[in-house]
Every structure is written in structure tokens, then in C-alpha cells.
Amino acid sequence: MEQVDGFSGLLRDISRACEAQNIPTGAMSAEYAPGQFEINLRHVDDALKAADDCVLFKRAVKGVARRHGHKATFMAKPYPEEAGSGMHMHVSLLDKDGRNVLDGGEDLSSPMLRHAIGGLLDLLPQSMAFLAPNVNSFRRFAPNIFVPVTRSWGFENRSVAMRVPLGPANARRIEHRVAGADANPYLALASMLAGMHHGIVNEIDPGTPHEGNASEKFDTVLPMRPRRAIEKMRRSKILPDYLGADYPSLYAECKEAEYDEFDWLISPQEYEWYLQTD
């Protein structure tokens, strides 16, 4: 509460700037790291508008922060010793009559919800290059810090990749917890919707919901390094059907060039470790 109070003027002006641009912001709260805040964007029924809202929101936050003498960052892991920042995406699914098909009635989950989660988990390794788009993105992933490092799902479990929040049945939804704050919202949402459709059409079983800590160690199938993620995407047989035949390979080519340039730069750590060695 003290951290929120200390930045109350900044947070108030962010809210006002978003309101002026019709960006539907909601609750604001302090997170684990110093100066780290969570600001929710309210639900909209159009995925493209949700991505638009996210992009405009980031611009508004950075602009307001500058006016207050601060710098706002959406890096996934700006400080090694502090918590990273994610972009959690919530999605529900309505039929033509407006009924939430993820609602299982007396059951916590419907077959549609389970299949959607099954597809999301199946497509997750191939989507990591979108959800973690740069070298810094992967520094956010580590065991036991409430960041997903496994293909897992569960009810009201913040250690899994796909969390199903409990609450009113008609509000049943999936929270996709993998993407970093630096992810492109258009690509992140596209990969999420592709995974859901893939799972529903193919009736993929997600397995048993996880209880307890699902992030004690890395899932060996998930590519937790940039070039591994690119290779998984390059080999994907599913993403091209949703994003266009050429797009995943073109994205991979661009990222490969970016990583090559990154690897060419000499880091301060290299000077510290190697400059004086024989």
C-alpha cells in the first residue's frame, strides 16, 4: 500500500491518460519488485482491439512516466535479482447465443475448456518465440518464482502455464501466464487463439490439472533459450496454418539476425572475465 501511495500521482495520471484514449484500464496494484506495478486492462470482446489497447497503454505509461521524471520499462527482466514482468492474457469463449462454452456448469471445466487448454499446451513450445521475443525475455524464466516453466494447467494455481481462475461459472476463463511484458500483443494473442482452436478442433486432452507447485524445474520440451525457441517455431507444422505459410519462417529469419548482432557485441562481463586471462 505504501508503494502505491508513493506513486499515486503517477498512477492517477496514467489512469486519466488511458481514459482520454478509451483504453479500458482497471485495478492497479504494487508487485514484488521495487517500482513494479500491475495494471489490468478490462475485458473487451474483440481480440484485435485488446491488442490495440495494450500497445496504446504502453505508450501512455511511458509518456506519463517521463512527465513525472521517471522511466517506465516493459522489459521482461530489467534487474537480475528482482522479479520479472509478464503479460498475462485472459480469454473466455462465447457461442452464437452468448453462452460461455468454457463453463462446465456444476463441473469446474467443460470439455471445450479442457480441449482449448490441451491445444494451448501442445502449441506452447512452438509459440515461445512469440511469447518471449528477445534474449532478455528468457531471463524471466526460473523455477520457483511463480513464472511458468512447464506445460501445465490447474485451477487457481499461479505456478502453472494455463490457470483457470475460480469464480462465477459464466465468467470461466483461461489465464495464459507465459508471455513476458515485452511480447508483441498481436502475436501473443494470435498464438493463443491458434492454440485454443487447434485443441478444440482436434479434441486434445490436457491431462490432469496440476495441484501444488508446477514450477520446481524446467520442462525439457519447452525451449528456454532464444535460438531453441526459433528452431521450434521454424519446424512447426501448425503455426503456418494459422499465421500464413511464410510468416513463422520470416519471423525466425529476423530474430536470427537480431541474435547474431547481439552475440557480436562484447559484454562488460566478457571484459571482467577474459580481458586479463592468458
Side-chain angles (χ1 to χ4, degrees), residues 142-196:
N144 294 318
I145 58 171
F146 294 99
V147 176
V149 294
T150 59
R151 292 165 298 157
S152 54
W153 75 284
F155 297 98
E156 209 57 81
N157 187 334
R158 297 179 187 274
S159 68
V160 299
M162 306 297 159
R163 167 180 169 254
V164 180
L166 298 180
N170 62 359
R172 187 73 70 233
R173 63 192 186 276
I174 300 168
E175 179 191 15
H176 192 307
R177 298 175 54 82
V178 180
D182 55 350
N184 181 312
Y186 299 97
L187 298 178
L189 284 169
S191 68
M192 180 176 68
L193 295 176
M196 292 178 65

Side-chain angles (χ1 to χ4, degrees), residues 9-23 25 28 60 64 67:
L10 171 62
L11 296 175
R12 181 190 62 245
D13 286 352
I14 288 174
S15 180
R16 288 174 176 173
C18 289
E19 183 179 359
Q21 298 179 70
N22 295 316
I23 304 168
T25 55
M28 301 182 181
V64 172
R67 292 203 299 272

Side-chain angles (χ1 to χ4, degrees), residues 24 27 35 37 81 99 158 162 167 195 228 241:
F37 295 92
E81 69 281 1
R99 185 179 67 87
R158 297 179 187 274
M162 306 297 159
R228 295 177 194 169
D241 291 338

